[in-house]
Amino acid sequence: MSEPLVIGVESSCDETGVAIVRGRELLANEVASSVEQHVRFGGVVPEVASRAHLQAIVPALRRATQTADVDLSEIDGVAVTAGPGLMGALVVGLSAAKAIALALNKPLYGLNHLVGHVAVDLLDHGPLPERFGALLVSGGHTSLLVVDDITSQITEVGSTIDDAAGEAYDKVSRLLGMGYPGGPVIDAAAADGNPKAIRFPRGLTSRRDLEAHRFDFSFSGLKTAVSRWVETERLAGRPVPVADVSASFQEAVVDVLTAKAMDMCAHFGLDTLVLGGGVAANSRLRGLLAERADAAGVTVRRPRPGLCTDNGAMIGALGVEVVRRGRRPSSLDIGANSGLPVSTVLV
């Protein structure tokens, strides 16, 4: 029996992604980013993102089909992000996927964007174990998951109660005058700084917090602490050591992320952890997680950096698993859900 052939469409935020996946083989992965259009605003503007998706979706589909060199009549399904994400952006991708499915008379699969960040690792490292953990870190989400079935059974055991890690990176970057998006620039600046220069707070790690929020995250207080520290230095007329602030801030973020991820693995008896999401490309996060996982006897699986950010490949990879396991297709009248919970894999 041949491997499932699936088109994956992603448009949840500021990247328009169309990919074609056969089994665990990525045949094409076209991504058009509108990030440059958001730079002057210091963050993603939903209306701007939606218009960018409208302009990019058809050209991306053309490029993907040309690169993959497959007959679209042979595909087994069209997978698309149904949520979570920006409502207007989601609608563009969902509408395009519905049109493709209808024109080709192929089944449609409305999938969860966050689960796609986990499933994309299949393209790099093959089959996932029967039960494993996942740490998702992105601009809008920071979550700890226990995965019993990538297509149907996912439990969120921890999440952010305020700012997500990626959002904190963007705000601190803006504070330091380093621009948007904050993740890459802070990671680069931190390479020249001392992570022990400033002891910034670790959110939700006190004894009382751990009783109520053992696996949850909070980065709002950290962002405020950085702001106050920088303001104090500026009021005193001292130059702000951007590299040291970046390194110390980043260390506070990844320290909490990795510690809680390892605690989840120990608590639930998990020996494999998948790292996913845009912030998963961060060098210090990858490095510290590898150190702590090695000490704990946990295997860490990390997609290549190019597959950590939003793309159609992650939706295609999840779509292949859904088709492979015979899950029921979605209805053509499904709508976008900006708040789709991670426990709902297939709409």
PDB file of all heavy atoms in Angstrom, residues 20 23 28 38 74 104 117 120 145 151 168 207 241 248 252 259 287 289-290 295 315 318 321 338:
ATOM      1  N   ILE A  20       3.465  19.737   0.269  1.00  0.00           N
ATOM      2  CA  ILE A  20       2.966  18.455  -0.212  1.00  0.00           C
ATOM      3  C   ILE A  20       3.842  17.373   0.414  1.00  0.00           C
ATOM      4  O   ILE A  20       5.072  17.408   0.288  1.00  0.00           O
ATOM      5  CB  ILE A  20       2.994  18.375  -1.751  1.00  0.00           C
ATOM      6  CG1 ILE A  20       2.092  19.468  -2.343  1.00  0.00           C
ATOM      7  CG2 ILE A  20       2.538  16.998  -2.225  1.00  0.00           C
ATOM      8  CD1 ILE A  20       2.077  19.523  -3.860  1.00  0.00           C
ATOM      9  N   GLY A  23       3.801  10.368   2.900  1.00  0.00           N
ATOM     10  CA  GLY A  23       4.316   9.600   4.028  1.00  0.00           C
ATOM     11  C   GLY A  23       5.173  10.483   4.922  1.00  0.00           C
ATOM     12  O   GLY A  23       4.732  11.485   5.455  1.00  0.00           O
ATOM     13  N   ALA A  28       7.461  19.162  -1.127  1.00  0.00           N
ATOM     14  CA  ALA A  28       7.497  20.606  -1.383  1.00  0.00           C
ATOM     15  C   ALA A  28       7.054  21.331  -0.127  1.00  0.00           C
ATOM     16  O   ALA A  28       6.171  20.856   0.602  1.00  0.00           O
ATOM     17  CB  ALA A  28       6.583  20.970  -2.551  1.00  0.00           C
ATOM     18  N   HIS A  38       4.989  43.751   9.073  1.00  0.00           N
ATOM     19  CA  HIS A  38       4.586  44.009  10.456  1.00  0.00           C
ATOM     20  C   HIS A  38       5.674  44.686  11.279  1.00  0.00           C
ATOM     21  O   HIS A  38       5.409  45.146  12.390  1.00  0.00           O
ATOM     22  CB  HIS A  38       4.208  42.686  11.136  1.00  0.00           C
ATOM     23  CG  HIS A  38       3.145  41.911  10.412  1.00  0.00           C
ATOM     24  ND1 HIS A  38       1.821  42.266  10.430  1.00  0.00           N
ATOM     25  CD2 HIS A  38       3.225  40.797   9.638  1.00  0.00           C
ATOM     26  CE1 HIS A  38       1.126  41.401   9.704  1.00  0.00           C
ATOM     27  NE2 HIS A  38       1.960  40.506   9.212  1.00  0.00           N
ATOM     28  N   GLU A  74      -4.009  12.568  -7.621  1.00  0.00           N
ATOM     29  CA  GLU A  74      -3.576  11.400  -6.856  1.00  0.00           C
ATOM     30  C   GLU A  74      -3.548  11.641  -5.347  1.00  0.00           C
ATOM     31  O   GLU A  74      -3.303  10.709  -4.579  1.00  0.00           O
ATOM     32  CB  GLU A  74      -2.178  10.977  -7.315  1.00  0.00           C
ATOM     33  CG  GLU A  74      -2.100  10.572  -8.778  1.00  0.00           C
ATOM     34  CD  GLU A  74      -0.675  10.270  -9.205  1.00  0.00           C
ATOM     35  OE1 GLU A  74       0.244  10.425  -8.365  1.00  0.00           O
ATOM     36  OE2 GLU A  74      -0.478   9.879 -10.370  1.00  0.00           O
ATOM     37  N   LEU A 104     -11.075  18.982  -6.492  1.00  0.00           N
ATOM     38  CA  LEU A 104     -10.455  17.684  -6.746  1.00  0.00           C
ATOM     39  C   LEU A 104     -11.306  16.512  -6.253  1.00  0.00           C
ATOM     40  O   LEU A 104     -10.934  15.352  -6.452  1.00  0.00           O
ATOM     41  CB  LEU A 104      -9.079  17.617  -6.079  1.00  0.00           C
ATOM     42  CG  LEU A 104      -8.029  18.630  -6.557  1.00  0.00           C
ATOM     43  CD1 LEU A 104      -6.765  18.516  -5.724  1.00  0.00           C
ATOM     44  CD2 LEU A 104      -7.715  18.418  -8.041  1.00  0.00           C
ATOM     45  N   HIS A 117       2.792  21.427  15.105  1.00  0.00           N
ATOM     46  CA  HIS A 117       4.166  21.711  15.542  1.00  0.00           C
ATOM     47  C   HIS A 117       4.825  20.471  16.153  1.00  0.00           C
ATOM     48  O   HIS A 117       6.056  20.364  16.165  1.00  0.00           O
ATOM     49  CB  HIS A 117       4.165  22.845  16.568  1.00  0.00           C
ATOM     50  CG  HIS A 117       4.156  24.214  15.963  1.00  0.00           C
ATOM     51  ND1 HIS A 117       5.119  24.638  15.068  1.00  0.00           N
ATOM     52  CD2 HIS A 117       3.306  25.266  16.132  1.00  0.00           C
ATOM     53  CE1 HIS A 117       4.858  25.894  14.710  1.00  0.00           C
ATOM     54  NE2 HIS A 117       3.770  26.293  15.343  1.00  0.00           N
ATOM     55  N   VAL A 120       5.325  17.669  12.972  1.00  0.00           N
ATOM     56  CA  VAL A 120       6.329  17.951  11.947  1.00  0.00           C
ATOM     57  C   VAL A 120       7.632  17.203  12.214  1.00  0.00           C
ATOM     58  O   VAL A 120       8.409  16.932  11.282  1.00  0.00           O
ATOM     59  CB  VAL A 120       6.585  19.476  11.840  1.00  0.00           C
ATOM     60  CG1 VAL A 120       7.398  19.990  13.033  1.00  0.00           C
ATOM     61  CG2 VAL A 120       7.268  19.827  10.527  1.00  0.00           C
ATOM     62  N   LEU A 145       2.510  19.181  26.965  1.00  0.00           N
ATOM     63  CA  LEU A 145       1.507  18.208  26.537  1.00  0.00           C
ATOM     64  C   LEU A 145       1.953  16.782  26.829  1.00  0.00           C
ATOM     65  O   LEU A 145       3.141  16.469  26.770  1.00  0.00           O
ATOM     66  CB  LEU A 145       1.262  18.326  25.028  1.00  0.00           C
ATOM     67  CG  LEU A 145       1.044  19.710  24.428  1.00  0.00           C
ATOM     68  CD1 LEU A 145       0.950  19.607  22.909  1.00  0.00           C
ATOM     69  CD2 LEU A 145      -0.207  20.354  25.004  1.00  0.00           C
ATOM     70  N   THR A 151      -3.108  11.844  16.724  1.00  0.00           N
ATOM     71  CA  THR A 151      -4.291  12.188  15.934  1.00  0.00           C
ATOM     72  C   THR A 151      -5.567  12.314  16.759  1.00  0.00           C
ATOM     73  O   THR A 151      -6.585  12.744  16.225  1.00  0.00           O
ATOM     74  CB  THR A 151      -4.539  11.138  14.830  1.00  0.00           C
ATOM     75  OG1 THR A 151      -4.907   9.885  15.433  1.00  0.00           O
ATOM     76  CG2 THR A 151      -3.312  10.943  13.965  1.00  0.00           C
ATOM     77  N   ALA A 168       6.946  37.470  25.102  1.00  0.00           N
ATOM     78  CA  ALA A 168       7.883  38.142  26.012  1.00  0.00           C
ATOM     79  C   ALA A 168       9.154  38.539  25.272  1.00  0.00           C
ATOM     80  O   ALA A 168       9.703  39.630  25.482  1.00  0.00           O
ATOM     81  CB  ALA A 168       8.212  37.230  27.192  1.00  0.00           C
ATOM     82  N   ARG A 207       7.465  27.816  45.942  1.00  0.00           N
ATOM     83  CA  ARG A 207       6.772  26.639  46.481  1.00  0.00           C
ATOM     84  C   ARG A 207       5.255  26.793  46.362  1.00  0.00           C
ATOM     85  O   ARG A 207       4.551  25.865  45.958  1.00  0.00           O
ATOM     86  CB  ARG A 207       7.166  26.418  47.939  1.00  0.00           C
ATOM     87  CG  ARG A 207       6.473  25.206  48.572  1.00  0.00           C
ATOM     88  CD  ARG A 207       6.954  24.980  49.994  1.00  0.00           C
ATOM     89  NE  ARG A 207       8.378  24.695  50.044  1.00  0.00           N
ATOM     90  CZ  ARG A 207       9.047  24.491  51.178  1.00  0.00           C
ATOM     91  NH1 ARG A 207       8.420  24.550  52.341  1.00  0.00           N
ATOM     92  NH2 ARG A 207      10.350  24.229  51.137  1.00  0.00           N
ATOM     93  N   PRO A 241      23.608  47.519  29.104  1.00  0.00           N
ATOM     94  CA  PRO A 241      24.379  46.437  28.472  1.00  0.00           C
ATOM     95  C   PRO A 241      23.440  45.461  27.761  1.00  0.00           C
ATOM     96  O   PRO A 241      22.997  44.460  28.341  1.00  0.00           O
ATOM     97  CB  PRO A 241      25.093  45.789  29.651  1.00  0.00           C
ATOM     98  CG  PRO A 241      24.174  46.024  30.815  1.00  0.00           C
ATOM     99  CD  PRO A 241      23.519  47.351  30.570  1.00  0.00           C
ATOM    100  N   SER A 248      20.675  37.401  30.070  1.00  0.00           N
ATOM    101  CA  SER A 248      20.069  37.143  31.380  1.00  0.00           C
ATOM    102  C   SER A 248      18.572  36.897  31.256  1.00  0.00           C
ATOM    103  O   SER A 248      18.010  36.027  31.934  1.00  0.00           O
ATOM    104  CB  SER A 248      20.342  38.320  32.318  1.00  0.00           C
ATOM    105  OG  SER A 248      21.732  38.506  32.518  1.00  0.00           O
ATOM    106  N   ALA A 252      16.546  33.263  31.964  1.00  0.00           N
ATOM    107  CA  ALA A 252      15.379  33.145  32.848  1.00  0.00           C
ATOM    108  C   ALA A 252      14.241  32.405  32.154  1.00  0.00           C
ATOM    109  O   ALA A 252      13.542  31.591  32.768  1.00  0.00           O
ATOM    110  CB  ALA A 252      14.919  34.532  33.292  1.00  0.00           C
ATOM    111  N   ALA A 259      13.134  23.289  32.954  1.00  0.00           N
ATOM    112  CA  ALA A 259      12.916  22.665  34.265  1.00  0.00           C
ATOM    113  C   ALA A 259      11.520  22.063  34.353  1.00  0.00           C
ATOM    114  O   ALA A 259      11.342  20.932  34.832  1.00  0.00           O
ATOM    115  CB  ALA A 259      13.122  23.694  35.378  1.00  0.00           C
ATOM    116  N   GLY A 287      20.000  23.985  23.608  1.00  0.00           N
ATOM    117  CA  GLY A 287      21.191  23.522  24.307  1.00  0.00           C
ATOM    118  C   GLY A 287      20.919  23.110  25.741  1.00  0.00           C
ATOM    119  O   GLY A 287      21.342  22.031  26.185  1.00  0.00           O
ATOM    120  N   LEU A 289      18.014  22.360  27.130  1.00  0.00           N
ATOM    121  CA  LEU A 289      17.112  21.220  27.175  1.00  0.00           C
ATOM    122  C   LEU A 289      17.872  19.924  26.925  1.00  0.00           C
ATOM    123  O   LEU A 289      17.617  18.908  27.586  1.00  0.00           O
ATOM    124  CB  LEU A 289      15.995  21.390  26.138  1.00  0.00           C
ATOM    125  CG  LEU A 289      14.908  20.315  26.153  1.00  0.00           C
ATOM    126  CD1 LEU A 289      14.191  20.282  27.509  1.00  0.00           C
ATOM    127  CD2 LEU A 289      13.890  20.559  25.038  1.00  0.00           C
ATOM    128  N   ALA A 290      18.817  19.956  25.997  1.00  0.00           N
ATOM    129  CA  ALA A 290      19.619  18.764  25.719  1.00  0.00           C
ATOM    130  C   ALA A 290      20.426  18.354  26.953  1.00  0.00           C
ATOM    131  O   ALA A 290      20.508  17.168  27.287  1.00  0.00           O
ATOM    132  CB  ALA A 290      20.550  19.023  24.536  1.00  0.00           C
ATOM    133  N   ALA A 295      20.783  14.392  31.367  1.00  0.00           N
ATOM    134  CA  ALA A 295      20.958  14.065  32.786  1.00  0.00           C
ATOM    135  C   ALA A 295      19.778  13.278  33.336  1.00  0.00           C
ATOM    136  O   ALA A 295      19.930  12.446  34.242  1.00  0.00           O
ATOM    137  CB  ALA A 295      21.156  15.338  33.595  1.00  0.00           C
ATOM    138  N   ILE A 315       1.411  20.803   8.877  1.00  0.00           N
ATOM    139  CA  ILE A 315       0.006  20.435   8.687  1.00  0.00           C
ATOM    140  C   ILE A 315      -0.096  19.229   7.753  1.00  0.00           C
ATOM    141  O   ILE A 315      -0.916  18.333   7.953  1.00  0.00           O
ATOM    142  CB  ILE A 315      -0.792  21.633   8.133  1.00  0.00           C
ATOM    143  CG1 ILE A 315      -0.666  22.834   9.077  1.00  0.00           C
ATOM    144  CG2 ILE A 315      -2.263  21.261   7.945  1.00  0.00           C
ATOM    145  CD1 ILE A 315      -1.087  22.560  10.514  1.00  0.00           C
ATOM    146  N   LEU A 318       0.877  16.101   9.821  1.00  0.00           N
ATOM    147  CA  LEU A 318      -0.235  15.667  10.669  1.00  0.00           C
ATOM    148  C   LEU A 318      -1.356  15.087   9.814  1.00  0.00           C
ATOM    149  O   LEU A 318      -1.989  14.086  10.190  1.00  0.00           O
ATOM    150  CB  LEU A 318      -0.747  16.844  11.501  1.00  0.00           C
ATOM    151  CG  LEU A 318      -1.900  16.561  12.460  1.00  0.00           C
ATOM    152  CD1 LEU A 318      -1.563  15.432  13.431  1.00  0.00           C
ATOM    153  CD2 LEU A 318      -2.277  17.832  13.232  1.00  0.00           C
ATOM    154  N   GLU A 321      -0.749  11.468   9.007  1.00  0.00           N
ATOM    155  CA  GLU A 321      -1.064  10.569  10.119  1.00  0.00           C
ATOM    156  C   GLU A 321      -2.564  10.357  10.266  1.00  0.00           C
ATOM    157  O   GLU A 321      -3.031   9.249  10.551  1.00  0.00           O
ATOM    158  CB  GLU A 321      -0.482  11.122  11.424  1.00  0.00           C
ATOM    159  CG  GLU A 321       1.021  11.098  11.492  1.00  0.00           C
ATOM    160  CD  GLU A 321       1.581   9.708  11.238  1.00  0.00           C
ATOM    161  OE1 GLU A 321       1.232   8.773  11.991  1.00  0.00           O
ATOM    162  OE2 GLU A 321       2.365   9.543  10.272  1.00  0.00           O
ATOM    163  N   SER A 338     -10.489  30.388  16.297  1.00  0.00           N
ATOM    164  CA  SER A 338      -9.272  31.064  16.767  1.00  0.00           C
ATOM    165  C   SER A 338      -8.822  30.571  18.136  1.00  0.00           C
ATOM    166  O   SER A 338      -7.656  30.732  18.500  1.00  0.00           O
ATOM    167  CB  SER A 338      -9.504  32.578  16.830  1.00  0.00           C
ATOM    168  OG  SER A 338     -10.559  32.888  17.727  1.00  0.00           O
TER     169      SER A 338
END
